[in-house]
Amino acid sequence: MSASTVYQLSNNNGLLIEFISYGAKLTAVKIPEGDKSIDILLGYDTPEQAINGDVYMGAICGRYANRISGGGFNLEGEFIKLNQNDGANHLHGGHKGFNVKDWKVEKTELQGYSSAYKLSVLSNDGDENYPGNLNATIIYALNDANEFLIDITATTDKTTVVNLTSHPYFNLKGAGNGDVLNHILEISAKQFTPLSTDMVPSGEMRSVKNTAMDFTKPVVIKDRIDSDYEQIQLVGGLDHNWIVNKQQGELALAAKVTEPKSGRSVEVYTTQPGIQVYTAMHFNGSDIGKGQVPFKKYCGIALEAQNFPDAPNHSNFPSSILKPQEKYQEKIQYKFTY
Ligand code: BGC
């Protein structure tokens, strides 16, 4: 087994999910259609290209997913200065986050799921300057209800912060088949966390009511993507964290994306308090994906269930602190309908 071995999860409906150990990257979600299949996950033609391509595509991001302002924060009276890999900020775990680690993969069993794998990784004390040896474990499991579960746990031997997410980009027309502007987006959130000009949340939790950030009812992405609302103008699309309507720890629906022509949809359920929705603005055609099609602006939509970006610097955000003897436990579940 090497970093480029392709592992497959399948179910009785013929749905197929593929991943590699490098970055725990998801590399395909193949939906059966007649005697063919449609791959709705952005990615590459080969695992080697997935390893060398877009760093976060399909990967598990950590030790802290999304941004930490200025790359630093106070923890138990000590200032922790992480590596800065996004201007002055720390993004998705730094230069060598979980997305570039080679995870250990073992086949496992999970009741109610037709196939399951357990992936684990150790991030040493001081890795990217995070305190504590952090042991992270993920279960990827698929069942016959077309639910793909990502069950995440982590433990530490020193007080630290942790926020792990999965970073898949979907295009429900099929990867490489144009943009996602005709997709319909719903987000179960009454509030979101507005960004400052440095792409980091200001700390405000703002109501979506009467703003272009209101996706409580289905909205065609095209109708909002170039809204003159300042938060959308700031990032040139959607790249924000919404606060999911749910109780702490509850597994609840966070977002749903539907492609109206095919009727295909993906729903994201999570125990995490937030969901980052990102409409893939950084792609400019220079990187080539599946079927030799260049990745262009809006070619996919990333749905990343997570704690709020920069929570270590905002006492009003849910805590991301993990102490020894505690267990970080979160679930993300993507449900596919077709
Ligand atoms: C962030 C974007 C970033 C992207 C990189 C997303 O999670 O919100 O700002 O450009 O990851 O892949």
Side-chain angles (χ1 to χ4, degrees):
M1 297 293 154
S2 75
S4 57
T5 302
V6 177
Y7 298 88
Q8 283 191 335
L9 297 133
S10 58
N11 68 8
N12 284 331
N13 310 323
L15 181 63
L16 211 60
I17 294 185
E18 296 178 349
F19 69 92
I20 56 174
S21 59
Y22 184 88
K25 283 184 173 187
L26 300 172
T27 54
V29 174
K30 294 177 180 163
I31 283 179
E33 210 179 65
D35 49 10
K36 293 188 305 189
S37 70
I38 308 275
D39 189 349
I40 58 163
L41 190 76
L42 296 200
Y44 296 86
D45 282 334
T46 68
E48 289 75 20
Q49 287 167 349
I51 290 171
N52 296 311
D54 185 274
V55 278
Y56 305 116
M57 187 175 282
I60 293 292
C61 296
R63 296 167 57 157
Y64 201 96
N66 212 281
R67 293 182 174 83
I68 294 183
S69 177
F73 56 95
N74 283 304
L75 184 64
E76 296 185 326
E78 197 191 331
F79 187 69
I80 308 289
K81 187 68 199 276
L82 302 172
N83 290 334
Q84 293 154 302
N85 62 325
D86 177 64
N89 300 323
H90 175 87
L91 174 66
H92 292 326
H95 300 297
K96 295 206 165 143
F98 281 177
N99 58 305
V100 299
K101 294 203 191 291
D102 195 18
W103 293 61
K104 180 177 167 202
V105 179
E106 297 157 88
K107 190 102 185 70
T108 189
E109 309 252 305
L110 190 65
Q111 217 194 339
Y113 289 81
S114 30
S115 56
Y117 283 93
K118 180 175 154 189
L119 293 85
S120 46
V121 80
L122 165 69
S123 171
N124 291 312
D125 188 15
D127 194 3
E128 296 288 325
N129 293 339
Y130 284 97
N133 290 295
L134 188 79
N135 273 296
T137 300
I138 282 168
I139 292 179
Y140 281 156
L142 181 64
N143 67 16
D144 289 338
N146 296 337
E147 290 165 340
F148 173 55
L149 172 70
I150 306 179
D151 191 311
I152 311 171
T153 53
T155 54
T156 182
D157 57 5
K158 273 188 199 166
T159 301
T160 192
V161 297
V162 59
N163 180 26
L164 305 180
T165 193
S166 173
H167 199 307
Y169 290 91
F170 298 101
N171 182 326
L172 299 172
K173 294 193 288 191
N177 195 0
D179 60 48
V180 295
L181 294 180
N182 80 326
H183 288 39
I184 296 166
L185 174 63
E186 278 175 82
I187 307 175
S188 317
K190 293 195 186 88
Q191 289 176 300
F192 76 107
T193 54
L195 297 170
S196 306
T197 45
D198 60 357
M199 291 295 291
V200 174
S202 61
E204 184 189 348
M205 296 191 261
R206 190 182 293 173
S207 169
V208 299
K209 213 167 178 178
N210 301 322
T211 79
M213 309 302 274
D214 188 349
F215 290 89
T216 51
K217 303 243 158 52
V219 178
V220 180
I221 293 176
K222 182 155 49 78
D223 295 345
R224 288 286 167 82
I225 201 85
D226 49 13
S227 152
D228 58 10
Y229 188 63
E230 57 63 45
Q231 282 292 312
I232 292 187
Q233 287 291 314
L234 182 68
V235 299
L238 305 180
D239 189 6
H240 299 83
N241 169 64
W242 275 262
I243 302 176
V244 181
N245 297 333
K246 63 191 237 359
Q247 303 297 314
Q248 197 187 342
E250 181 196 355
L251 181 71
L253 180 67
K256 178 175 182 177
V257 177
T258 308
E259 199 284 310
K261 275 203 186 129
S262 60
R264 291 175 203 130
S265 70
V266 54
E267 288 172 321
V268 190
Y269 294 79
T270 190
T271 55
Q272 308 244 44
I275 184 156
Q276 185 82 14
V277 177
Y278 175 51
T279 45
M281 284 79 76
H282 72 282
F283 295 113
N284 59 12
S286 59
D287 190 14
I288 312 287
K290 288 174 183 170
Q292 294 304 296
V293 179
F295 294 114
K296 292 199 181 137
K297 197 173 168 183
Y298 311 140
C299 61
I301 182 166
L303 303 168
E304 307 154 62
Q306 55 179 26
N307 195 352
F308 304 176
D310 204 30
N313 285 308
H314 299 281
S315 54
N316 57 331
F317 286 1
S319 171
S320 57
I321 296 174
L322 182 71
K323 297 188 172 155
Q325 274 91 53
E326 291 178 346
K327 199 169 190 182
Y328 173 87
Q329 269 182 308
E330 299 290 353
K331 285 183 169 55
I332 302 171
Q333 186 163 278
Y334 296 100
K335 181 177 169 69
F336 302 102
T337 305
Y338 53 88

